[in-house]
Amino acid sequence: MAGRGASAKVQAAEPFRGFADPGGRFFEELTLHNDRDWFEAHRDQYQEGWLEPMQALFAGVRSRLARVYPGDAIARPKVFRIHRDIRFSKDKTPYKTHIGGLLTLAAAAGGRSQVEVPAALYFHVSHTEVFAAAGLYGMDPATLATHRKALLDPRRGKELTRI
């Protein structure tokens, strides 16, 4: 069953058709009842309304990006697990009140491609926000220096800011 392991496997057979609960009522309720009994009683609602649609969303994005990045340049999408890591946290609530996932170029996820700059797409949905981000992360020192130099260059920096 998806979502029970350390990370949810992306197995989207259906195209993304939106989330069953676009207002985030599930996460609003989870915020109020963040305990195992409530979650287990509503697990199917999470899996069918949030986990499976998120898997479908990332599978669709990956499929479209595969046209630009041939071969295995795009790593398998990762939908983050709902369980929080509470080992070192004062807040012991067991579940995240959002769903999030990450799609990376393979260079960032294991180096199987010839892509030099690790890039990622992150997507996050809760009852209070929808957040998407794309960019570079984990750059090696030489790439980071080149990137900083481009940002500080009067002409190239303006263009990057505009983009």
Side-chain angles (χ1 to χ4, degrees), residues 26-61:
F26 172 83
F27 290 117
E28 187 173 5
E29 289 292 318
L30 180 58
T31 300
L32 298 172
H33 309 282
N34 200 321
D35 60 68
R36 187 180 196 293
D37 291 339
W38 186 90
F39 185 78
E40 287 304 319
H42 296 86
R43 180 181 286 277
D44 289 345
Q45 188 180 353
Y46 167 71
Q47 289 190 267
E48 294 169 12
W50 290 98
L51 180 61
E52 291 170 9
M54 183 67 102
Q55 291 170 335
L57 174 65
F58 272 102
V61 170

PDB file of all heavy atoms in Angstrom, residues 26-61:
ATOM      1  N   PHE A  26      -9.176  18.240   4.722  1.00  0.00           N
ATOM      2  CA  PHE A  26      -8.505  17.118   5.382  1.00  0.00           C
ATOM      3  C   PHE A  26      -7.376  17.628   6.277  1.00  0.00           C
ATOM      4  O   PHE A  26      -7.261  17.231   7.436  1.00  0.00           O
ATOM      5  CB  PHE A  26      -7.963  16.120   4.347  1.00  0.00           C
ATOM      6  CG  PHE A  26      -7.112  15.051   4.971  1.00  0.00           C
ATOM      7  CD1 PHE A  26      -7.687  13.941   5.551  1.00  0.00           C
ATOM      8  CD2 PHE A  26      -5.727  15.181   5.015  1.00  0.00           C
ATOM      9  CE1 PHE A  26      -6.900  12.960   6.158  1.00  0.00           C
ATOM     10  CE2 PHE A  26      -4.934  14.212   5.614  1.00  0.00           C
ATOM     11  CZ  PHE A  26      -5.530  13.099   6.181  1.00  0.00           C
ATOM     12  N   PHE A  27      -6.533  18.499   5.741  1.00  0.00           N
ATOM     13  CA  PHE A  27      -5.398  19.002   6.525  1.00  0.00           C
ATOM     14  C   PHE A  27      -5.842  19.944   7.637  1.00  0.00           C
ATOM     15  O   PHE A  27      -5.217  19.992   8.699  1.00  0.00           O
ATOM     16  CB  PHE A  27      -4.367  19.675   5.615  1.00  0.00           C
ATOM     17  CG  PHE A  27      -3.651  18.684   4.744  1.00  0.00           C
ATOM     18  CD1 PHE A  27      -3.769  18.747   3.373  1.00  0.00           C
ATOM     19  CD2 PHE A  27      -2.877  17.679   5.300  1.00  0.00           C
ATOM     20  CE1 PHE A  27      -3.121  17.821   2.564  1.00  0.00           C
ATOM     21  CE2 PHE A  27      -2.224  16.757   4.504  1.00  0.00           C
ATOM     22  CZ  PHE A  27      -2.350  16.825   3.129  1.00  0.00           C
ATOM     23  N   GLU A  28      -6.930  20.648   7.424  1.00  0.00           N
ATOM     24  CA  GLU A  28      -7.483  21.489   8.486  1.00  0.00           C
ATOM     25  C   GLU A  28      -7.950  20.616   9.655  1.00  0.00           C
ATOM     26  O   GLU A  28      -7.654  20.904  10.818  1.00  0.00           O
ATOM     27  CB  GLU A  28      -8.652  22.308   7.937  1.00  0.00           C
ATOM     28  CG  GLU A  28      -9.191  23.332   8.875  1.00  0.00           C
ATOM     29  CD  GLU A  28     -10.235  24.219   8.226  1.00  0.00           C
ATOM     30  OE1 GLU A  28     -10.620  23.991   7.064  1.00  0.00           O
ATOM     31  OE2 GLU A  28     -10.675  25.158   8.907  1.00  0.00           O
ATOM     32  N   GLU A  29      -8.635  19.524   9.338  1.00  0.00           N
ATOM     33  CA  GLU A  29      -9.077  18.588  10.377  1.00  0.00           C
ATOM     34  C   GLU A  29      -7.889  17.888  11.045  1.00  0.00           C
ATOM     35  O   GLU A  29      -7.882  17.687  12.253  1.00  0.00           O
ATOM     36  CB  GLU A  29     -10.034  17.552   9.789  1.00  0.00           C
ATOM     37  CG  GLU A  29     -11.388  18.111   9.414  1.00  0.00           C
ATOM     38  CD  GLU A  29     -12.194  18.534  10.628  1.00  0.00           C
ATOM     39  OE1 GLU A  29     -12.193  17.806  11.648  1.00  0.00           O
ATOM     40  OE2 GLU A  29     -12.824  19.609  10.551  1.00  0.00           O
ATOM     41  N   LEU A  30      -6.890  17.532  10.236  1.00  0.00           N
ATOM     42  CA  LEU A  30      -5.706  16.886  10.783  1.00  0.00           C
ATOM     43  C   LEU A  30      -4.982  17.821  11.760  1.00  0.00           C
ATOM     44  O   LEU A  30      -4.463  17.377  12.784  1.00  0.00           O
ATOM     45  CB  LEU A  30      -4.756  16.446   9.669  1.00  0.00           C
ATOM     46  CG  LEU A  30      -3.470  15.742  10.089  1.00  0.00           C
ATOM     47  CD1 LEU A  30      -3.768  14.489  10.911  1.00  0.00           C
ATOM     48  CD2 LEU A  30      -2.637  15.397   8.855  1.00  0.00           C
ATOM     49  N   THR A  31      -4.991  19.101  11.470  1.00  0.00           N
ATOM     50  CA  THR A  31      -4.389  20.076  12.384  1.00  0.00           C
ATOM     51  C   THR A  31      -5.081  20.034  13.740  1.00  0.00           C
ATOM     52  O   THR A  31      -4.434  20.119  14.789  1.00  0.00           O
ATOM     53  CB  THR A  31      -4.481  21.497  11.790  1.00  0.00           C
ATOM     54  OG1 THR A  31      -3.786  21.512  10.543  1.00  0.00           O
ATOM     55  CG2 THR A  31      -3.884  22.535  12.716  1.00  0.00           C
ATOM     56  N   LEU A  32      -6.392  19.843  13.739  1.00  0.00           N
ATOM     57  CA  LEU A  32      -7.169  19.808  14.978  1.00  0.00           C
ATOM     58  C   LEU A  32      -7.101  18.457  15.683  1.00  0.00           C
ATOM     59  O   LEU A  32      -7.258  18.382  16.905  1.00  0.00           O
ATOM     60  CB  LEU A  32      -8.634  20.143  14.682  1.00  0.00           C
ATOM     61  CG  LEU A  32      -8.896  21.541  14.110  1.00  0.00           C
ATOM     62  CD1 LEU A  32     -10.356  21.666  13.685  1.00  0.00           C
ATOM     63  CD2 LEU A  32      -8.503  22.612  15.094  1.00  0.00           C
ATOM     64  N   HIS A  33      -6.892  17.387  14.918  1.00  0.00           N
ATOM     65  CA  HIS A  33      -6.915  16.017  15.470  1.00  0.00           C
ATOM     66  C   HIS A  33      -5.653  15.271  15.045  1.00  0.00           C
ATOM     67  O   HIS A  33      -5.726  14.227  14.417  1.00  0.00           O
ATOM     68  CB  HIS A  33      -8.142  15.262  14.963  1.00  0.00           C
ATOM     69  CG  HIS A  33      -9.420  15.992  15.158  1.00  0.00           C
ATOM     70  ND1 HIS A  33     -10.051  16.058  16.376  1.00  0.00           N
ATOM     71  CD2 HIS A  33     -10.177  16.699  14.288  1.00  0.00           C
ATOM     72  CE1 HIS A  33     -11.156  16.774  16.249  1.00  0.00           C
ATOM     73  NE2 HIS A  33     -11.255  17.179  15.001  1.00  0.00           N
ATOM     74  N   ASN A  34      -4.502  15.804  15.367  1.00  0.00           N
ATOM     75  CA  ASN A  34      -3.245  15.231  14.904  1.00  0.00           C
ATOM     76  C   ASN A  34      -2.816  14.084  15.825  1.00  0.00           C
ATOM     77  O   ASN A  34      -1.916  14.207  16.644  1.00  0.00           O
ATOM     78  CB  ASN A  34      -2.165  16.315  14.840  1.00  0.00           C
ATOM     79  CG  ASN A  34      -1.029  15.926  13.936  1.00  0.00           C
ATOM     80  OD1 ASN A  34      -0.614  14.774  13.912  1.00  0.00           O
ATOM     81  ND2 ASN A  34      -0.515  16.893  13.194  1.00  0.00           N
ATOM     82  N   ASP A  35      -3.513  12.941  15.640  1.00  0.00           N
ATOM     83  CA  ASP A  35      -3.179  11.745  16.415  1.00  0.00           C
ATOM     84  C   ASP A  35      -3.430  10.506  15.562  1.00  0.00           C
ATOM     85  O   ASP A  35      -4.110  10.559  14.547  1.00  0.00           O
ATOM     86  CB  ASP A  35      -3.964  11.694  17.729  1.00  0.00           C
ATOM     87  CG  ASP A  35      -5.458  11.664  17.520  1.00  0.00           C
ATOM     88  OD1 ASP A  35      -5.976  10.647  16.994  1.00  0.00           O
ATOM     89  OD2 ASP A  35      -6.132  12.644  17.881  1.00  0.00           O
ATOM     90  N   ARG A  36      -2.884   9.404  15.997  1.00  0.00           N
ATOM     91  CA  ARG A  36      -2.941   8.165  15.226  1.00  0.00           C
ATOM     92  C   ARG A  36      -4.371   7.673  15.004  1.00  0.00           C
ATOM     93  O   ARG A  36      -4.719   7.249  13.902  1.00  0.00           O
ATOM     94  CB  ARG A  36      -2.112   7.081  15.925  1.00  0.00           C
ATOM     95  CG  ARG A  36      -1.978   5.806  15.122  1.00  0.00           C
ATOM     96  CD  ARG A  36      -1.144   4.769  15.875  1.00  0.00           C
ATOM     97  NE  ARG A  36      -0.670   3.697  15.055  1.00  0.00           N
ATOM     98  CZ  ARG A  36      -1.427   2.770  14.469  1.00  0.00           C
ATOM     99  NH1 ARG A  36      -2.726   2.813  14.586  1.00  0.00           N
ATOM    100  NH2 ARG A  36      -0.883   1.811  13.755  1.00  0.00           N
ATOM    101  N   ASP A  37      -5.200   7.718  16.020  1.00  0.00           N
ATOM    102  CA  ASP A  37      -6.566   7.214  15.879  1.00  0.00           C
ATOM    103  C   ASP A  37      -7.331   7.973  14.798  1.00  0.00           C
ATOM    104  O   ASP A  37      -7.995   7.366  13.958  1.00  0.00           O
ATOM    105  CB  ASP A  37      -7.320   7.291  17.212  1.00  0.00           C
ATOM    106  CG  ASP A  37      -6.787   6.307  18.246  1.00  0.00           C
ATOM    107  OD1 ASP A  37      -6.133   5.315  17.843  1.00  0.00           O
ATOM    108  OD2 ASP A  37      -7.012   6.541  19.443  1.00  0.00           O
ATOM    109  N   TRP A  38      -7.233   9.291  14.829  1.00  0.00           N
ATOM    110  CA  TRP A  38      -7.954  10.088  13.821  1.00  0.00           C
ATOM    111  C   TRP A  38      -7.395   9.799  12.435  1.00  0.00           C
ATOM    112  O   TRP A  38      -8.149   9.588  11.492  1.00  0.00           O
ATOM    113  CB  TRP A  38      -7.846  11.593  14.121  1.00  0.00           C
ATOM    114  CG  TRP A  38      -8.701  12.396  13.188  1.00  0.00           C
ATOM    115  CD1 TRP A  38      -9.986  12.752  13.381  1.00  0.00           C
ATOM    116  CD2 TRP A  38      -8.334  12.892  11.891  1.00  0.00           C
ATOM    117  NE1 TRP A  38     -10.454  13.449  12.295  1.00  0.00           N
ATOM    118  CE2 TRP A  38      -9.450  13.549  11.362  1.00  0.00           C
ATOM    119  CE3 TRP A  38      -7.169  12.847  11.123  1.00  0.00           C
ATOM    120  CZ2 TRP A  38      -9.454  14.158  10.101  1.00  0.00           C
ATOM    121  CZ3 TRP A  38      -7.164  13.444   9.868  1.00  0.00           C
ATOM    122  CH2 TRP A  38      -8.297  14.089   9.376  1.00  0.00           C
ATOM    123  N   PHE A  39      -6.055   9.770  12.317  1.00  0.00           N
ATOM    124  CA  PHE A  39      -5.463   9.544  11.000  1.00  0.00           C
ATOM    125  C   PHE A  39      -5.839   8.176  10.446  1.00  0.00           C
ATOM    126  O   PHE A  39      -6.188   8.053   9.275  1.00  0.00           O
ATOM    127  CB  PHE A  39      -3.938   9.698  11.034  1.00  0.00           C
ATOM    128  CG  PHE A  39      -3.338   9.578   9.663  1.00  0.00           C
ATOM    129  CD1 PHE A  39      -3.387  10.630   8.770  1.00  0.00           C
ATOM    130  CD2 PHE A  39      -2.744   8.386   9.250  1.00  0.00           C
ATOM    131  CE1 PHE A  39      -2.861  10.510   7.488  1.00  0.00           C
ATOM    132  CE2 PHE A  39      -2.218   8.256   7.983  1.00  0.00           C
ATOM    133  CZ  PHE A  39      -2.270   9.324   7.099  1.00  0.00           C
ATOM    134  N   GLU A  40      -5.763   7.151  11.265  1.00  0.00           N
ATOM    135  CA  GLU A  40      -6.112   5.812  10.783  1.00  0.00           C
ATOM    136  C   GLU A  40      -7.571   5.743  10.331  1.00  0.00           C
ATOM    137  O   GLU A  40      -7.882   5.075   9.354  1.00  0.00           O
ATOM    138  CB  GLU A  40      -5.825   4.757  11.853  1.00  0.00           C
ATOM    139  CG  GLU A  40      -4.345   4.484  12.053  1.00  0.00           C
ATOM    140  CD  GLU A  40      -3.621   4.059  10.776  1.00  0.00           C
ATOM    141  OE1 GLU A  40      -4.162   3.273   9.984  1.00  0.00           O
ATOM    142  OE2 GLU A  40      -2.487   4.529  10.581  1.00  0.00           O
ATOM    143  N   ALA A  41      -8.444   6.454  11.012  1.00  0.00           N
ATOM    144  CA  ALA A  41      -9.858   6.488  10.612  1.00  0.00           C
ATOM    145  C   ALA A  41     -10.053   7.233   9.294  1.00  0.00           C
ATOM    146  O   ALA A  41     -11.067   7.039   8.608  1.00  0.00           O
ATOM    147  CB  ALA A  41     -10.702   7.143  11.707  1.00  0.00           C
ATOM    148  N   HIS A  42      -9.101   8.079   8.922  1.00  0.00           N
ATOM    149  CA  HIS A  42      -9.207   8.898   7.709  1.00  0.00           C
ATOM    150  C   HIS A  42      -8.091   8.609   6.700  1.00  0.00           C
ATOM    151  O   HIS A  42      -7.888   9.379   5.773  1.00  0.00           O
ATOM    152  CB  HIS A  42      -9.194  10.384   8.089  1.00  0.00           C
ATOM    153  CG  HIS A  42     -10.369  10.775   8.919  1.00  0.00           C
ATOM    154  ND1 HIS A  42     -10.380  10.632  10.284  1.00  0.00           N
ATOM    155  CD2 HIS A  42     -11.571  11.285   8.575  1.00  0.00           C
ATOM    156  CE1 HIS A  42     -11.550  11.043  10.743  1.00  0.00           C
ATOM    157  NE2 HIS A  42     -12.286  11.436   9.732  1.00  0.00           N
ATOM    158  N   ARG A  43      -7.398   7.497   6.883  1.00  0.00           N
ATOM    159  CA  ARG A  43      -6.267   7.160   5.999  1.00  0.00           C
ATOM    160  C   ARG A  43      -6.689   7.094   4.528  1.00  0.00           C
ATOM    161  O   ARG A  43      -5.992   7.605   3.648  1.00  0.00           O
ATOM    162  CB  ARG A  43      -5.628   5.837   6.407  1.00  0.00           C
ATOM    163  CG  ARG A  43      -4.446   5.439   5.507  1.00  0.00           C
ATOM    164  CD  ARG A  43      -3.836   4.114   5.906  1.00  0.00           C
ATOM    165  NE  ARG A  43      -3.064   4.217   7.113  1.00  0.00           N
ATOM    166  CZ  ARG A  43      -1.800   4.640   7.158  1.00  0.00           C
ATOM    167  NH1 ARG A  43      -1.194   5.029   6.058  1.00  0.00           N
ATOM    168  NH2 ARG A  43      -1.149   4.671   8.302  1.00  0.00           N
ATOM    169  N   ASP A  44      -7.819   6.467   4.241  1.00  0.00           N
ATOM    170  CA  ASP A  44      -8.267   6.356   2.848  1.00  0.00           C
ATOM    171  C   ASP A  44      -8.521   7.731   2.241  1.00  0.00           C
ATOM    172  O   ASP A  44      -8.231   7.955   1.063  1.00  0.00           O
ATOM    173  CB  ASP A  44      -9.538   5.508   2.752  1.00  0.00           C
ATOM    174  CG  ASP A  44      -9.268   4.038   3.017  1.00  0.00           C
ATOM    175  OD1 ASP A  44      -8.084   3.622   2.985  1.00  0.00           O
ATOM    176  OD2 ASP A  44     -10.234   3.295   3.269  1.00  0.00           O
ATOM    177  N   GLN A  45      -9.060   8.628   3.032  1.00  0.00           N
ATOM    178  CA  GLN A  45      -9.302   9.998   2.566  1.00  0.00           C
ATOM    179  C   GLN A  45      -7.971  10.655   2.174  1.00  0.00           C
ATOM    180  O   GLN A  45      -7.888  11.342   1.155  1.00  0.00           O
ATOM    181  CB  GLN A  45      -9.995  10.788   3.678  1.00  0.00           C
ATOM    182  CG  GLN A  45     -10.477  12.147   3.288  1.00  0.00           C
ATOM    183  CD  GLN A  45     -11.146  12.850   4.464  1.00  0.00           C
ATOM    184  OE1 GLN A  45     -11.359  12.280   5.537  1.00  0.00           O
ATOM    185  NE2 GLN A  45     -11.473  14.110   4.251  1.00  0.00           N
ATOM    186  N   TYR A  46      -6.941  10.443   2.962  1.00  0.00           N
ATOM    187  CA  TYR A  46      -5.619  10.981   2.648  1.00  0.00           C
ATOM    188  C   TYR A  46      -5.065  10.335   1.376  1.00  0.00           C
ATOM    189  O   TYR A  46      -4.605  11.023   0.455  1.00  0.00           O
ATOM    190  CB  TYR A  46      -4.653  10.753   3.817  1.00  0.00           C
ATOM    191  CG  TYR A  46      -3.216  11.006   3.435  1.00  0.00           C
ATOM    192  CD1 TYR A  46      -2.751  12.297   3.189  1.00  0.00           C
ATOM    193  CD2 TYR A  46      -2.327   9.941   3.284  1.00  0.00           C
ATOM    194  CE1 TYR A  46      -1.441  12.523   2.819  1.00  0.00           C
ATOM    195  CE2 TYR A  46      -1.017  10.168   2.911  1.00  0.00           C
ATOM    196  CZ  TYR A  46      -0.576  11.449   2.677  1.00  0.00           C
ATOM    197  OH  TYR A  46       0.725  11.675   2.297  1.00  0.00           O
ATOM    198  N   GLN A  47      -5.106   9.021   1.318  1.00  0.00           N
ATOM    199  CA  GLN A  47      -4.501   8.322   0.189  1.00  0.00           C
ATOM    200  C   GLN A  47      -5.205   8.628  -1.126  1.00  0.00           C
ATOM    201  O   GLN A  47      -4.555   8.896  -2.123  1.00  0.00           O
ATOM    202  CB  GLN A  47      -4.466   6.822   0.456  1.00  0.00           C
ATOM    203  CG  GLN A  47      -3.430   6.509   1.529  1.00  0.00           C
ATOM    204  CD  GLN A  47      -3.178   5.043   1.675  1.00  0.00           C
ATOM    205  OE1 GLN A  47      -3.803   4.395   2.498  1.00  0.00           O
ATOM    206  NE2 GLN A  47      -2.257   4.540   0.886  1.00  0.00           N
ATOM    207  N   GLU A  48      -6.531   8.577  -1.122  1.00  0.00           N
ATOM    208  CA  GLU A  48      -7.277   8.787  -2.362  1.00  0.00           C
ATOM    209  C   GLU A  48      -7.405  10.264  -2.726  1.00  0.00           C
ATOM    210  O   GLU A  48      -7.427  10.604  -3.903  1.00  0.00           O
ATOM    211  CB  GLU A  48      -8.659   8.151  -2.235  1.00  0.00           C
ATOM    212  CG  GLU A  48      -8.584   6.642  -2.117  1.00  0.00           C
ATOM    213  CD  GLU A  48      -9.912   6.013  -1.715  1.00  0.00           C
ATOM    214  OE1 GLU A  48     -10.954   6.704  -1.737  1.00  0.00           O
ATOM    215  OE2 GLU A  48      -9.892   4.819  -1.352  1.00  0.00           O
ATOM    216  N   GLY A  49      -7.496  11.117  -1.724  1.00  0.00           N
ATOM    217  CA  GLY A  49      -7.716  12.529  -1.992  1.00  0.00           C
ATOM    218  C   GLY A  49      -6.464  13.362  -2.136  1.00  0.00           C
ATOM    219  O   GLY A  49      -6.494  14.440  -2.735  1.00  0.00           O
ATOM    220  N   TRP A  50      -5.340  12.863  -1.579  1.00  0.00           N
ATOM    221  CA  TRP A  50      -4.107  13.648  -1.585  1.00  0.00           C
ATOM    222  C   TRP A  50      -2.902  12.896  -2.126  1.00  0.00           C
ATOM    223  O   TRP A  50      -2.224  13.379  -3.030  1.00  0.00           O
ATOM    224  CB  TRP A  50      -3.810  14.176  -0.171  1.00  0.00           C
ATOM    225  CG  TRP A  50      -4.791  15.225   0.201  1.00  0.00           C
ATOM    226  CD1 TRP A  50      -5.926  15.072   0.968  1.00  0.00           C
ATOM    227  CD2 TRP A  50      -4.782  16.577  -0.230  1.00  0.00           C
ATOM    228  NE1 TRP A  50      -6.596  16.268   1.040  1.00  0.00           N
ATOM    229  CE2 TRP A  50      -5.917  17.211   0.323  1.00  0.00           C
ATOM    230  CE3 TRP A  50      -3.925  17.338  -1.015  1.00  0.00           C
ATOM    231  CZ2 TRP A  50      -6.216  18.552   0.107  1.00  0.00           C
ATOM    232  CZ3 TRP A  50      -4.207  18.671  -1.230  1.00  0.00           C
ATOM    233  CH2 TRP A  50      -5.339  19.265  -0.678  1.00  0.00           C
ATOM    234  N   LEU A  51      -2.598  11.733  -1.566  1.00  0.00           N
ATOM    235  CA  LEU A  51      -1.396  11.013  -1.973  1.00  0.00           C
ATOM    236  C   LEU A  51      -1.452  10.586  -3.443  1.00  0.00           C
ATOM    237  O   LEU A  51      -0.538  10.885  -4.218  1.00  0.00           O
ATOM    238  CB  LEU A  51      -1.169   9.797  -1.073  1.00  0.00           C
ATOM    239  CG  LEU A  51       0.064   8.959  -1.391  1.00  0.00           C
ATOM    240  CD1 LEU A  51       1.331   9.790  -1.255  1.00  0.00           C
ATOM    241  CD2 LEU A  51       0.115   7.737  -0.492  1.00  0.00           C
ATOM    242  N   GLU A  52      -2.499   9.902  -3.844  1.00  0.00           N
ATOM    243  CA  GLU A  52      -2.603   9.435  -5.225  1.00  0.00           C
ATOM    244  C   GLU A  52      -2.658  10.591  -6.223  1.00  0.00           C
ATOM    245  O   GLU A  52      -1.970  10.536  -7.252  1.00  0.00           O
ATOM    246  CB  GLU A  52      -3.783   8.477  -5.370  1.00  0.00           C
ATOM    247  CG  GLU A  52      -3.533   7.168  -4.635  1.00  0.00           C
ATOM    248  CD  GLU A  52      -4.762   6.266  -4.541  1.00  0.00           C
ATOM    249  OE1 GLU A  52      -5.797   6.564  -5.187  1.00  0.00           O
ATOM    250  OE2 GLU A  52      -4.688   5.258  -3.813  1.00  0.00           O
ATOM    251  N   PRO A  53      -3.430  11.655  -5.961  1.00  0.00           N
ATOM    252  CA  PRO A  53      -3.379  12.790  -6.889  1.00  0.00           C
ATOM    253  C   PRO A  53      -1.992  13.440  -6.968  1.00  0.00           C
ATOM    254  O   PRO A  53      -1.552  13.839  -8.052  1.00  0.00           O
ATOM    255  CB  PRO A  53      -4.416  13.772  -6.334  1.00  0.00           C
ATOM    256  CG  PRO A  53      -5.384  12.912  -5.610  1.00  0.00           C
ATOM    257  CD  PRO A  53      -4.538  11.814  -5.004  1.00  0.00           C
ATOM    258  N   MET A  54      -1.288  13.532  -5.839  1.00  0.00           N
ATOM    259  CA  MET A  54       0.060  14.118  -5.862  1.00  0.00           C
ATOM    260  C   MET A  54       0.995  13.240  -6.682  1.00  0.00           C
ATOM    261  O   MET A  54       1.819  13.738  -7.451  1.00  0.00           O
ATOM    262  CB  MET A  54       0.592  14.304  -4.441  1.00  0.00           C
ATOM    263  CG  MET A  54       1.958  14.967  -4.400  1.00  0.00           C
ATOM    264  SD  MET A  54       1.944  16.674  -4.951  1.00  0.00           S
ATOM    265  CE  MET A  54       2.011  17.488  -3.379  1.00  0.00           C
ATOM    266  N   GLN A  55       0.875  11.933  -6.537  1.00  0.00           N
ATOM    267  CA  GLN A  55       1.681  11.020  -7.344  1.00  0.00           C
ATOM    268  C   GLN A  55       1.362  11.206  -8.828  1.00  0.00           C
ATOM    269  O   GLN A  55       2.271  11.232  -9.666  1.00  0.00           O
ATOM    270  CB  GLN A  55       1.425   9.574  -6.916  1.00  0.00           C
ATOM    271  CG  GLN A  55       1.960   9.269  -5.541  1.00  0.00           C
ATOM    272  CD  GLN A  55       1.502   7.918  -5.011  1.00  0.00           C
ATOM    273  OE1 GLN A  55       0.470   7.389  -5.415  1.00  0.00           O
ATOM    274  NE2 GLN A  55       2.268   7.369  -4.088  1.00  0.00           N
ATOM    275  N   ALA A  56       0.096  11.350  -9.158  1.00  0.00           N
ATOM    276  CA  ALA A  56      -0.301  11.560 -10.554  1.00  0.00           C
ATOM    277  C   ALA A  56       0.229  12.891 -11.080  1.00  0.00           C
ATOM    278  O   ALA A  56       0.687  12.984 -12.221  1.00  0.00           O
ATOM    279  CB  ALA A  56      -1.825  11.501 -10.677  1.00  0.00           C
ATOM    280  N   LEU A  57       0.177  13.927 -10.254  1.00  0.00           N
ATOM    281  CA  LEU A  57       0.697  15.238 -10.650  1.00  0.00           C
ATOM    282  C   LEU A  57       2.179  15.143 -10.994  1.00  0.00           C
ATOM    283  O   LEU A  57       2.618  15.587 -12.064  1.00  0.00           O
ATOM    284  CB  LEU A  57       0.473  16.250  -9.528  1.00  0.00           C
ATOM    285  CG  LEU A  57       1.100  17.629  -9.732  1.00  0.00           C
ATOM    286  CD1 LEU A  57       0.460  18.345 -10.912  1.00  0.00           C
ATOM    287  CD2 LEU A  57       0.957  18.454  -8.463  1.00  0.00           C
ATOM    288  N   PHE A  58       2.964  14.541 -10.106  1.00  0.00           N
ATOM    289  CA  PHE A  58       4.399  14.435 -10.353  1.00  0.00           C
ATOM    290  C   PHE A  58       4.719  13.516 -11.521  1.00  0.00           C
ATOM    291  O   PHE A  58       5.659  13.777 -12.276  1.00  0.00           O
ATOM    292  CB  PHE A  58       5.138  13.995  -9.088  1.00  0.00           C
ATOM    293  CG  PHE A  58       5.535  15.150  -8.221  1.00  0.00           C
ATOM    294  CD1 PHE A  58       4.819  15.456  -7.087  1.00  0.00           C
ATOM    295  CD2 PHE A  58       6.616  15.941  -8.556  1.00  0.00           C
ATOM    296  CE1 PHE A  58       5.176  16.532  -6.287  1.00  0.00           C
ATOM    297  CE2 PHE A  58       6.979  17.019  -7.770  1.00  0.00           C
ATOM    298  CZ  PHE A  58       6.261  17.313  -6.631  1.00  0.00           C
ATOM    299  N   ALA A  59       3.962  12.459 -11.701  1.00  0.00           N
ATOM    300  CA  ALA A  59       4.193  11.573 -12.846  1.00  0.00           C
ATOM    301  C   ALA A  59       3.936  12.329 -14.147  1.00  0.00           C
ATOM    302  O   ALA A  59       4.689  12.191 -15.118  1.00  0.00           O
ATOM    303  CB  ALA A  59       3.308  10.339 -12.749  1.00  0.00           C
ATOM    304  N   GLY A  60       2.888  13.141 -14.172  1.00  0.00           N
ATOM    305  CA  GLY A  60       2.590  13.936 -15.363  1.00  0.00           C
ATOM    306  C   GLY A  60       3.646  14.987 -15.650  1.00  0.00           C
ATOM    307  O   GLY A  60       4.054  15.187 -16.799  1.00  0.00           O
ATOM    308  N   VAL A  61       4.103  15.659 -14.617  1.00  0.00           N
ATOM    309  CA  VAL A  61       5.162  16.665 -14.782  1.00  0.00           C
ATOM    310  C   VAL A  61       6.436  15.992 -15.284  1.00  0.00           C
ATOM    311  O   VAL A  61       7.093  16.479 -16.203  1.00  0.00           O
ATOM    312  CB  VAL A  61       5.411  17.437 -13.467  1.00  0.00           C
ATOM    313  CG1 VAL A  61       6.660  18.293 -13.568  1.00  0.00           C
ATOM    314  CG2 VAL A  61       4.202  18.290 -13.114  1.00  0.00           C
TER     315      VAL A  61
END
